[in-house]
Amino acid sequence: DQQVKQNSPSLSVQEGRISILNCDYTNSMFDYFLWYKKYPAEGPTFLISISSIKDKNEDGRFTVFLNKSAKHLSLHIVPSQPGDSAVYFCAASRTGNQFYFGTGTSLTVIP
Amino acid sequence: EAGVAQSPRYKIIEKRQSVAFWCNPISGHATLYWYQQILGQGPKLLIQFQNNGVVDDSQLPKDRFSAERLKGVDSTLKIQPAKLEDSAVYLCASSLLGGTGKYEQYFGPGTRLTVT
């Protein structure tokens, strides 16, 4: 039972343009959402998070949008840089417990 | 600040053998997690500790997997006996006490297990 889904396995974007990564979830009880970035042979690295009481959170080039009615969140990276090339995972949680991760989207930023 | 430490980084065993992984979380982090990541999938939570108590182990195959967190710091995850389908990367993560509202997890580099 996949409670968090990332339907795009891969995404390619030109350097300087916007990257938009999408994530859908099924459990309306999730109240905290996170995005992680992963390079090969390393553990995931925390990027940005959002609580269900908000619909947007911004940190530098990274912005996460949450649409609770659609059970959808997205990560925007502007401008995209070659160093952003990695696998991105979204994750959802209920009050800090029962974390569920998506299957990941591999982002390639083309110089 | 030192990150989450895990050992070994790689392990190859035959099926039906046993194996143990070790994790040392970031100092001061009360919550510790073990995840299993099979190739092509996202991390799957196996067990979550808060201090030395278990918060969630609903997805831990308890017939063969066990985990403990001694004194609320280091943790070990054991598989006995291993099966071919246990081949995966085992990730340990830690976070500050969840009550602060900050649930960001910091991951170690993982242990890649191959069962032959």
Side-chain angles (χ1 to χ4, degrees), chain B residues 48-61:
Chain B
Q48 177 180 343
F49 293 95
Q50 186 146 308
N51 297 309
N52 59 356
V54 176
V55 173
D56 179 19
D57 64 356
S58 57
Q59 298 192 92
L60 185 74

Side-chain angles (χ1 to χ4, degrees), chain A residues 71-90:
Chain A
K71 295 192 182 69
H72 177 84
L73 67 156
S74 61
L75 174 69
H76 291 208
I77 307 174
V78 182
S80 300
Q81 300 173 354
D84 296 330
S85 297
V87 177
Y88 290 77
F89 292 97
C90 67

Side-chain angles (χ1 to χ4, degrees), chain B residues 2-61:
Chain B
V4 176
Q6 289 188 247
S7 67
R9 290 295 310 274
Y10 305 92
K11 190 74 176 179
I12 301 174
I13 62 172
E14 295 182 352
K15 59 184 179 184
R16 291 187 289 275
Q17 287 187 323
S18 62
V19 64
F21 312 124
W22 173 82
C23 173
N24 182 240
I26 292 173
S27 177
H29 280 195
T31 310
L32 184 147
Y33 314 79
W34 282 103
Y35 288 87
Q36 178 192 60
Q37 186 175 16
I38 293 172
L39 188 64
Q41 299 182 19
K44 172 187 162 185
L45 181 65
L46 294 176
I47 189 166
Q48 177 180 343
F49 293 95
Q50 186 146 308
N51 297 309
N52 59 356
V54 176
V55 173
D56 179 19
D57 64 356
S58 57
Q59 298 192 92
L60 185 74

Side-chain angles (χ1 to χ4, degrees), chain B residues 59-79:
Chain B
Q59 298 192 92
L60 185 74
K62 297 180 185 65
D63 57 333
R64 298 185 300 105
F65 286 65
S66 64
E68 61 180 2
R69 189 178 184 196
L70 300 175
K71 300 180 181 178
V73 182
D74 292 7
S75 178
T76 56
L77 176 70
K78 296 179 181 177
I79 308 175

Side-chain angles (χ1 to χ4, degrees), chain B residues 97-113:
Chain B
L97 188 62
T100 63
K102 291 190 176 293
Y103 306 131
E104 293 83 2
Q105 297 170 35
Y106 296 84
F107 284 83
T111 296
R112 180 175 296 278
L113 173 67

